[in-house]
């Protein structure tokens, strides 16, 4: 399966990683790829391509746990907007991000510990 901006609603409509366990997170800096390995009834690897943002919160507010409760789109894309503001403030010649964001997906995973993983990327493959 391949998810891009045009079919990003698939994420909210199909919580396919519910009850999977987070096994490993791997970031390939030069390739701008993030890989997350999940354990479940069928082990899966999800590859996020052209990653421009990631945030891994590990506070364990609800206790210890690494089971995925929800895979979701982030409403109103606050992290993308923050990156766009940062790009504007640096006033350089590099225009990586566009105002209308017709390329990047901002999504997250919620774990049973209350922790989250947030990622902004162009493409998701699994």
């Amino acid at each position: 399966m391949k998810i891009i901006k045009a079919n990003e609603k698939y994420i909210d409509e199909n919580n396919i990683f519910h009850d999977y366990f987070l096994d490993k997170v791997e970031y390939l800096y030069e390739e701008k790829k993030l890989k997350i390995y999940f354990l479940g009834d069928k082990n899966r690897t999800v590859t996020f391509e052209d990653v421009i943002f990631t945030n891994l919160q590990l506070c364990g507010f609800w206790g210890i746990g690494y089971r995925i409760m929800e895979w979701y789109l982030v409403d109103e894309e606050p992290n993308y907007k923050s990156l766009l503001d940062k790009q504007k403030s640096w006033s350089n010649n590099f225009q990586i991000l566009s105002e209308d964001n017709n390329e990047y997906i901002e999504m997250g995973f919620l774990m049973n510990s209350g922790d989250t993983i947030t990622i902004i990327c162009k493409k998701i493959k699994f």
Side-chain angles (χ1 to χ4, degrees):
M1 177 77 190
K2 180 172 82 173
I3 298 175
I4 57 174
K5 186 71 173 178
N7 66 341
E8 72 179 356
K9 296 288 184 205
Y10 181 89
I11 293 170
D12 280 341
E13 295 166 356
N14 300 278
N15 192 12
I16 62 171
F17 296 104
H18 180 75
D19 282 342
Y20 274 73
F21 291 92
L22 178 66
D23 182 39
K24 181 171 65 169
V25 177
E26 176 181 32
Y27 184 63
L28 307 167
Y29 182 80
E30 290 188 15
E31 296 176 43
K32 295 183 79 170
K33 287 184 182 179
L34 181 76
K35 291 185 178 185
I36 299 181
Y37 300 86
F38 294 102
L39 303 175
D41 59 344
K42 188 169 118 179
N43 295 347
R44 294 182 182 243
T45 301
V46 182
T47 303
F48 302 88
E49 297 182 359
D50 293 312
V51 174
I52 60 169
F53 177 89
T54 187
N55 183 354
L56 179 60
Q57 172 198 305
L58 298 169
C59 296
F61 293 125
W62 302 341
I64 297 171
Y66 51 94
R67 181 187 300 248
I68 302 300
M69 302 303 293
E70 184 180 8
W71 184 28
Y72 59 91
L73 289 173
V74 176
D75 292 334
E76 300 182 25
E77 302 177 325
N79 297 299
Y80 183 87
K81 290 175 181 173
S82 176
L83 292 174
L84 190 59
D85 289 344
K86 190 179 288 189
Q87 174 179 272
K88 289 177 189 175
S89 72
W90 287 351
S91 65
N92 58 29
N93 294 327
F94 298 106
Q95 296 301 314
I96 297 166
L97 308 176
S98 65
E99 290 279 343
D100 60 359
N101 186 20
N102 55 6
E103 293 184 290
Y104 289 96
I105 303 164
E106 184 165 346
M107 49 74 50
F109 292 99
L110 172 65
M111 292 178 273
N112 66 332
S113 60
D115 292 324
T116 57
I117 301 172
T118 306
I119 301 164
I120 302 176
C121 65
K122 282 188 182 179
K123 192 182 303 176
I124 303 167
K125 291 182 180 178
F126 56 92

